[in-house]
Amino acid sequence: MTATDISRIAHGGKALYGARVGILMLETRFPRIPGDMGNGNTWPFPVLYKVVPGATPDQVVRHKSQGLINAFLDAASELVQLGADGITTTCGFLSLYQREIASHVGVPVATSSLMQIPFVERILPPGKRVGVLTVSAASLTPEHFIAAGAAPATPVVGTENGREFTKVMLDEKHTLDATLAERDILDAGEALVAAHPDTGAIVLECTNMTPYARALSDHLLLPVYSIYSFVTWFHAGLAPRDFGPPGSGARAWRER
């Protein structure tokens, strides 16, 4: 009788496997194009989605998610029960719930792209700081920044005065002119840099802005960080890349 090969023993405990990140979705009907967090083709790894009932963009952004905490906690718990090892969300304004969700589910939680701000500022040259683009500057308060661990006086410009982006995202339009939306974001980026010449990098609060991050970076010649950069980093810790047995690459090289 041969000894059992422990490398062939599978372990259970989850309902679903292979998707480490669970995403709490707002209840929306606007288009989610590639690059958008809610488009499954955006991610280079599998994810789990859960729509939070009643969590409309208007309620979450303009009304600080009032009355929705239990719905978010229940949805986060469901994702963990299904198999998620970490939780994120599709709205940067949910930094307000960071502590509550993390305490409730007991796994790593990354509610908001704004949480990148302290780290990004530490990698910038002296005298440079982060600027933020948001779907609604009027709604993004110092409270949101503090909850994300960022300075409350971080410079912010919104797209609410534009022609397309904010109208589609907050007013639940069913069509999106991506060309106009991109122009709104480029205009907001220009306004941010003009008002704050010491801007060394941009963080996109809104997860729906990710499809335009490259165009913005090329336009301003600045690094741009989004929920995509944040969650791919987040996932890299939940599921580190497997390089094979230690030393196996070196042996293979010597044998060539």
Side-chain angles (χ1 to χ4, degrees):
M1 183 174 179
T2 60
T4 301
D5 182 353
I6 62 172
S7 69
R8 303 302 301 276
I9 304 299
H11 297 275
K14 297 181 178 182
L16 299 173
Y17 293 83
R20 299 297 188 101
V21 173
I23 301 178
L24 295 171
M25 296 284 297
L26 299 195
E27 191 173 47
T28 66
R29 289 294 181 270
F30 55 72
R32 290 185 176 274
I33 64 177
D36 188 291
M37 193 176 192
N39 186 315
N41 290 324
T42 294
W43 304 106
F45 42 77
V47 298
L48 297 173
Y49 287 110
K50 174 65 180 178
V51 176
V52 180
T56 64
D58 178 71
Q59 186 66 19
V60 171
V61 173
R62 294 180 174 134
H63 301 284
K64 291 188 174 182
S65 307
Q66 291 178 4
L68 291 173
I69 182 60
N70 289 332
F72 275 100
L73 296 181
D74 290 345
S77 292
E78 183 174 334
L79 285 171
V80 172
Q81 289 166 7
L82 285 174
D85 296 318
I87 299 295
T88 185
T89 84
T90 57
C91 184
F93 283 78
L94 289 167
S95 63
L96 295 176
Y97 285 169
Q98 172 66 32
R99 188 177 299 275
E100 288 87 346
I101 296 174
S103 297
H104 185 71
V105 296
V107 300
V109 173
T111 53
S112 175
S113 182
L114 298 175
M115 295 171 71
Q116 296 175 101
I117 294 172
F119 174 73
V120 174
E121 289 203 324
R122 281 163 176 76
I123 65 174
L124 294 179
K128 295 293 185 179
R129 61 175 170 169
V130 166
V132 169
L133 295 191
T134 177
V135 71
S136 175
S139 302
L140 192 59
T141 68
E143 185 181 1
H144 291 94
F145 285 103
I146 292 169
T154 300
V156 180
V157 169
T159 54
E160 57 262 57
N161 294 323
R163 293 161 290 180
E164 182 78 356
F165 185 80
T166 295
K167 292 180 175 65
V168 172
M169 301 307 160
L170 294 190
D171 297 333
E172 291 279 38
K173 305 296 184 183
H174 287 204
T175 59
L176 169 71
D177 186 322
T179 299
L180 291 180
E182 180 178 291
R183 187 67 254 173
D184 288 346
I185 290 165
L186 297 184
D187 289 347
E190 288 178 359
L192 177 64
V193 171
H196 303 279
D198 59 346
T199 300
I202 307 290
V203 168
L204 304 177
E205 168 277 315
C206 183
T207 67
N208 312 111
M209 291 181 174
T210 303
Y212 316 100
R214 178 60 179 266
L216 181 65
S217 179
D218 290 346
H219 186 66
L220 298 179
L221 301 179
L222 291 174
V224 174
Y225 297 90
S226 67
I227 194 65
Y228 182 83
S229 62
F230 192 29
V231 173
T232 51
W233 169 86
F234 185 63
H235 180 269
L238 299 175
R241 179 180 169 184
D242 184 356
F243 293 96
S248 59
R251 286 197 300 272
W253 178 258
R254 288 196 299 269
E255 291 167 0
R256 289 177 62 182

